[in-house]
Amino acid sequence: MTYRQRLPFFIFIDSCIVLTAIFFSQFLVGATIHVITFSVILSSAVILISHHLFSFRFNLYKKVWEYASIGELVVILQTVTFSILIAAIFQQFILKEISFRLLMTTWILHLLFIGGSRFCWRMYRDTVMNKPNSKRNTLIVGAGSAGTMVARQLLKNNDSDLSPIGFIDDDRRKQSLDVYGIPVLGGINLIEKKVKDYDVQNIIIAIPSLSKKELQRIFQECAKTEAKTQILPMLEDLMTGKVAVNQFRDVKVEDLLGREPVKLDIDIISNSITNKTVLVTGAGGSIGSEICRQISLFHPKTLILLGHGENSIYAIELELKEVFQNTDIEFVTEIADVQDAGKMVTVMGLYQPDVVYHAAAHKHVPLMERNPEEAVKNNLIGTLNAANAASWSGVKTFVMISSDKAVNPTSVMGATKRLSEMVVQNLDRKSTTKFVAVRFGNVLGSRGSVIPLFKNQIQKGGPITVTHPDMIRFFMTIPEASRLVIQAGSLAEGGEIFVLDMGEPVKIVDLAKNLIKLSGHSVDDIGIEYSGIRPGEKLYEELLNKEEVHSDHVYPNIYVGKTSELYLEEIEELIETFSDMEKEALKNRLLQLANHKVVSQPLLSG
């Protein structure tokens, strides 16, 4: 019913309740059935009118009683109490005598009947109208404010197919207690047992302040069960109203990295990007496109999207123009190949960018092993072309995207990345442009990542193929990688290799198991097969060579590497002769140059 429809109904019901309370009080106090007297009638009229006036004053008729709680009880208490006080004043000045026992009894019955009528309606809805019907038993991890809010919403929402049967919380003070009639069953270590005991089909993680490591621990316990695991939306999304408290999302693999995201220094970045002209090579790729998104948040004057693939450049252009349509950012597209030195000079000279982010590269390790000449052309020569053009046109900062595979490389891709680092570090010595490189590990969700491959294998029913049971990698999300690149550009003094301290490395097989679980399957259903290490691969990756390390961070969680020995004459000779070399000879030469100094022990592996 609408407010206008229910208002007459409530006025009628409350009038009957008030009169009943008054006349029944007279019966109790006077011990007689002759309850209708002149003073009682006058007092009844005063109490009835006062009740309705205060009901409007305190919005009693606007309350949604299916959600009645302490706040509504206070409103009822105020309305009833003030009505009785007005009646007492009336009796004192008009009737010259206050019937204290009658008014006190009336106050008690009035409060009981009005409050009882509202809360009886709530109980009826909770126990009859909202009676669970084939709902799925749900365990809520976290008995704090967020968890209790989730439980309350699930209890009230008749459309939800989830029925909360218990909380899980490590706080011993809450264990064995009830919240909204739902027991706190124990700590996180009991999740597997309680899922079996209570036939739980769903688990909801409802702790907004949860760190990545704590979430990882909880999920590992949930993964031991067959229950579907979901998580409460981000707190800021709840506060801004983007999502409701009962709109749970699935746990994502990036939630389980066990590392907190890098926080940006907004002021420093704004100084280097806001109202400046920025160019991004490889702008259509997974990393390049995310760099463009992140840069746009800082409102550059012009953002040049340069890439070789017209479809991907067109897609990111459309996206950015739609998202940032209410800004003054000018988005410019350039279809160009970084292997074309002349085009690079033309583009740089035309737009005179302040900052260049060089993300264009071939990154697929096995493909580059089979096509080393293409790795040289795109990764090494392409970087040299873009860097020379940037130096010639007076670019202030040039940021090259590198890889952890550039450290003690065993692959063609890693070797070309390491040689590209040498190229830009050498240019930094003789150019006014500040040249830096940024290294990071594998990126979740990028086109070359194992995640899309694993997801595709799961969709086909398995098995997932993992190269080796002990294969470990550093992982980060695409937004994290892009933010690091932008932050590095703002911190650049020239010649550095910036590296993110990426925390604990992740076993690929554990990542595969988590993905299987997140997809709603079991490892036994999908299966995992080991295919063997591919050419060019290592069991682990490193982030810095021993001789490159500065012990101090230049920014929280960001290291900077020292400049190691550069082999520019050899690199120039390689560029001149690589097209005449056999594939194997070229691969060997690349690895020889890139590994001029070999370090046996990994650094920053934990």
Side-chain angles (χ1 to χ4, degrees), residues 10-26 40 43-52 55 60-61 79-80 83-84 105-107 109-111 113-114 117-118:
F10 271 113
I11 290 176
F12 173 75
I13 293 296
D14 279 10
S15 297
C16 294
I17 289 173
V18 171
L19 293 175
T20 300
I22 294 170
F23 291 123
F24 192 55
S25 296
Q26 177 65 10
V40 171
S43 297
S44 299
V46 172
I47 294 175
L48 186 60
I49 293 170
S50 299
H51 173 87
H52 291 310
S55 293
L60 184 63
Y61 294 141
T79 301
V80 172
S83 299
I84 298 299
T105 307
T106 301
W107 179 81
L109 294 179
H110 189 175
L111 186 64
F113 292 165
I114 293 293
S117 65
R118 266 59 172 188

Side-chain angles (χ1 to χ4, degrees), residues 392-403:
W392 173 82
S393 63
V395 170
K396 292 183 177 63
T397 306
F398 182 98
V399 183
M400 172 201 157
I401 313 302
S402 188
S403 165

Side-chain angles (χ1 to χ4, degrees), residues 122-343:
R122 173 180 169 174
M123 290 175 61
Y124 172 74
R125 289 185 60 91
D126 288 350
T127 58
V128 179
M129 296 181 65
N130 290 345
K131 187 175 181 180
N133 182 20
S134 68
K135 291 191 174 186
R136 290 179 289 165
N137 289 345
T138 301
L139 201 60
I140 300 174
V141 180
S145 56
T148 54
M149 183 169 56
V150 168
R152 185 176 180 182
Q153 288 294 318
L154 293 180
L155 290 171
K156 300 304 163 204
N157 188 356
N158 198 34
D159 295 329
S160 173
D161 62 347
L162 305 179
S163 175
I165 54 89
F167 290 100
I168 290 291
D169 200 298
D170 278 341
D171 189 345
R172 292 184 178 275
R173 294 171 298 178
K174 297 177 181 177
Q175 293 173 8
S176 301
L177 301 178
D178 283 3
V179 181
Y180 295 127
I182 304 170
V184 182
L185 300 173
I188 291 168
N189 60 312
L190 294 178
I191 287 178
E192 183 180 13
K193 181 178 185 301
K194 298 304 178 183
V195 166
K196 293 179 180 177
D197 291 347
Y198 291 88
D199 189 26
V200 171
Q201 288 88 44
N202 267 67
I203 300 174
I204 296 171
I205 302 173
I207 312 175
S209 60
L210 206 60
S211 69
K212 293 290 183 74
K213 287 189 176 181
E214 289 170 333
L215 175 59
Q216 191 177 46
R217 171 182 165 236
I218 293 173
F219 182 79
Q220 295 307 324
E221 291 299 318
C222 296
K224 297 175 183 178
T225 74
E226 295 183 0
K228 181 178 181 181
T229 303
Q230 293 179 295
I231 192 169
L232 194 67
M234 294 176 63
L235 195 58
E236 51 264 40
D237 290 339
L238 292 173
M239 297 298 292
T240 56
K242 289 183 180 179
V243 293
V245 70
N246 57 351
Q247 289 180 303
F248 315 111
R249 68 172 177 84
D250 291 338
V251 179
K252 300 175 183 177
V253 68
E254 50 263 40
D255 293 325
L256 307 175
L257 288 181
R259 187 190 67 256
E260 300 304 315
V262 173
K263 295 181 180 179
L264 300 180
D265 188 324
I266 304 301
D267 293 334
I268 293 178
I269 294 176
S270 296
N271 290 336
S272 64
I273 292 179
T274 303
N275 293 324
K276 302 292 175 58
T277 299
V278 182
L279 184 147
V280 179
T281 71
S286 50
I287 298 295
S289 60
E290 183 62 28
I291 290 175
C292 292
R293 295 183 190 99
Q294 298 286 341
I295 287 173
S296 298
L297 296 173
F298 293 94
H299 299 284
K301 178 183 177 183
T302 305
L303 180 56
I304 301 123
L305 315 172
L306 186 147
H308 192 218
E310 61 178 32
N311 291 332
S312 57
I313 292 295
Y314 179 65
I316 187 61
E317 179 193 22
L318 283 184
E319 178 189 331
L320 293 175
K321 284 185 174 179
E322 179 180 357
V323 174
F324 297 96
Q325 58 183 319
N326 296 323
T327 69
D328 296 328
I329 304 173
E330 180 184 6
F331 296 103
V332 180
T333 57
E334 283 287 344
I335 303 301
D337 191 338
V338 292
Q339 297 179 38
D340 187 339
K343 183 63 180 284

Side-chain angles (χ1 to χ4, degrees), residues 83-102:
S83 299
I84 298 299
L85 287 176
I86 293 297
I89 294 171
F90 172 81
Q91 288 182 352
Q92 174 65 36
F93 288 99
I94 303 300
L95 302 180
K96 305 300 183 181
E97 182 183 4
I98 300 178
S99 302
F100 287 105
R101 286 188 297 174
L102 175 63

Side-chain angles (χ1 to χ4, degrees), residues 27 88 102 137 245 295 307 331-332 349 365 386 395 405 454 457 513 521 531 541 555 570 577 585 598:
F27 167 74
L102 175 63
N137 289 345
V245 70
I295 287 173
F331 296 103
V332 180
V365 171
V395 170
K405 293 177 176 61
F454 286 171
Q457 290 175 333
K513 290 176 181 178
H521 303 282
S531 58
E541 299 291 358
Y555 189 80
E570 292 88 344
T577 60
V598 180

